[in-house]
Amino acid sequence: MDSYKIGKFIAEKRKEKNLTQRALAEKIGVTDKAISKWERGLSCPDISLLLPLGDALGVNVTELLNGGAIEDINVELSDDILVSSVQNYIRDTNKKSKKIIAAVSLALAAVFLFTSFMFHVENERQQQHRQIDMAFSDLLCEIEMSFDYFRELSIDKNDDICRHLDKSTSEVLRLSEKYKSLLFMYYGKKMEGNICNEFDKLREDFLFIHHSVDCDSDNLKIGFEKVIKDIADLESSLDNSGVYYGSKELSKTTLQHLKDKDMYDWEGIF
């Protein structure tokens, strides 16, 4: 099992359900620290917890162990075409018409080709969406984790937390470039204009945060406040482009969590 992949999936589904780590922990009878360890890939849920965890997140055990949703390809259209063609073939065969039989055979071949093509297209689309979902989820989870490290740093400034925040902000920069590259690979010119600008703003503000970790707490606060607006602006630009950029529910939930963190009295912390 890939504990990192499973952890990211648990975090994504928890946020889609609009649950805090503590709320999920209470539902299945564990501590919020256990949930945190799972989501960071430090450990995996005990086998006895898989069923209640799956019920709480709205997924099955196979999806939990897979670390991702398992979707069935919709083949109703191709099934209907195939059944209809076979029925025509049987009816025309009874008429002993060689020309009709040949035509139906060609139709059946065309149906099989069409079916194969539709399977291929659907598989490609699902694979593309899974890659985007994973990249988007990784980025949002790491951004939220960096906010958590900032909160810890604001309460107890020490070298360990500084290193964690430094590493987390570096990871956000890496994941944002990975996510941006993936969208550009699939959607090309649709990613130009405002979307490029919004990605640049998010990167610039996290670079600002990254360089402020060891020297200026006020700059950290300013940087994290800007990030909340950056995410909202980026989502708005992606939404207007009409492309699939990831789970809107996940983005909405994460943004609300970040705004809730922002409601703390940061002015009195330093």
Side-chain angles (χ1 to χ4, degrees), residues 122-261:
E122 182 66 14
N123 273 326
E124 286 291 318
R125 185 189 68 82
Q126 288 189 4
Q127 182 179 6
Q128 174 181 319
H129 285 192
R130 281 194 294 269
Q131 289 177 334
I132 292 172
D133 276 330
M134 184 172 294
F136 192 45
S137 173
D138 287 347
L139 175 60
L140 292 180
C141 286
E142 193 63 50
I143 288 175
E144 186 168 358
M145 190 170 293
S146 70
F147 267 74
D148 288 335
Y149 284 131
F150 171 61
R151 289 293 304 155
E152 289 183 32
L153 184 64
S154 67
I155 296 169
D156 179 20
K157 187 172 183 179
N158 61 63
D159 291 340
D160 284 341
I161 297 176
C162 283
R163 282 194 293 270
H164 286 312
L165 180 56
D166 183 70
K167 183 178 179 180
S168 183
T169 52
S170 297
E171 184 68 0
V172 168
L173 292 171
R174 184 187 72 82
L175 291 172
S176 66
E177 283 301 308
K178 177 183 176 181
Y179 177 56
K180 176 183 175 182
S181 298
L182 195 63
L183 291 179
F184 268 83
M185 180 177 70
Y186 286 127
Y187 300 115
K189 290 185 177 180
K190 289 185 178 182
M191 295 292 103
E192 296 177 356
N194 286 341
I195 295 175
C196 282
N197 294 334
E198 303 305 343
F199 268 111
D200 289 343
K201 282 167 57 181
L202 180 63
R203 176 176 174 78
E204 288 171 6
D205 287 333
F206 257 99
L207 274 172
F208 178 77
I209 292 170
H210 181 70
H211 293 307
S212 301
V213 170
D214 294 321
C215 59
D216 196 329
S217 298
D218 288 335
N219 280 349
L220 284 177
K221 178 180 179 295
I222 293 169
F224 277 107
E225 287 174 340
K226 287 183 178 180
V227 163
I228 292 175
K229 184 176 186 302
D230 293 340
I231 296 173
D233 290 344
L234 176 60
E235 182 183 16
S236 177
S237 295
L238 287 169
D239 216 15
N240 291 336
S241 72
V243 304
Y244 181 82
Y245 60 88
S247 168
K248 293 183 181 181
E249 186 62 32
L250 175 62
S251 177
K252 178 182 176 182
T253 302
T254 301
L255 192 58
Q256 187 58 53
H257 286 172
L258 299 185
K259 288 179 178 178
D260 289 343
K261 297 175 194 295

Side-chain angles (χ1 to χ4, degrees), residues 63-75:
E63 289 174 321
L64 275 177
L65 296 177
N66 181 59
I70 301 175
E71 301 175 359
D72 293 327
I73 299 174
N74 185 355
V75 294

Side-chain angles (χ1 to χ4, degrees), residues 13-139:
K13 290 302 176 182
R14 172 178 63 79
K15 291 171 186 175
E16 287 181 358
K17 293 289 186 181
N18 202 23
L19 293 170
T20 63
Q21 290 181 342
R22 178 171 296 179
L24 178 58
E26 290 175 353
K27 278 180 172 288
I28 62 175
V30 297
T31 66
D32 54 351
K33 289 183 179 179
I35 302 295
S36 178
K37 285 185 178 181
W38 298 345
E39 294 185 352
R40 286 181 289 156
L42 300 180
S43 64
C44 285
D46 185 84
I47 191 170
S48 64
L49 296 172
L50 293 179
L51 283 176
L53 179 59
D55 289 340
L57 298 177
V59 299
N60 59 47
V61 173
T62 302
E63 289 174 321
L64 275 177
L65 296 177
N66 181 59
I70 301 175
E71 301 175 359
D72 293 327
I73 299 174
N74 185 355
V75 294
E76 292 181 0
L77 175 61
S78 57
D79 280 350
D80 290 342
I81 296 173
L82 183 58
V83 170
S84 176
S85 297
V86 171
Q87 290 173 340
N88 289 338
Y89 177 81
I90 293 172
R91 184 175 62 251
D92 292 334
T93 300
N94 291 335
K95 295 180 180 179
K96 305 296 183 180
S97 172
K98 293 182 179 180
K99 290 183 179 181
I100 295 177
I101 292 173
V104 171
S105 298
L106 288 174
L108 282 171
V111 167
F112 279 113
L113 287 174
F114 172 77
T115 304
S116 298
F117 174 74
M118 291 300 294
F119 268 98
H120 175 73
V121 169
E122 182 66 14
N123 273 326
E124 286 291 318
R125 185 189 68 82
Q126 288 189 4
Q127 182 179 6
Q128 174 181 319
H129 285 192
R130 281 194 294 269
Q131 289 177 334
I132 292 172
D133 276 330
M134 184 172 294
F136 192 45
S137 173
D138 287 347
L139 175 60

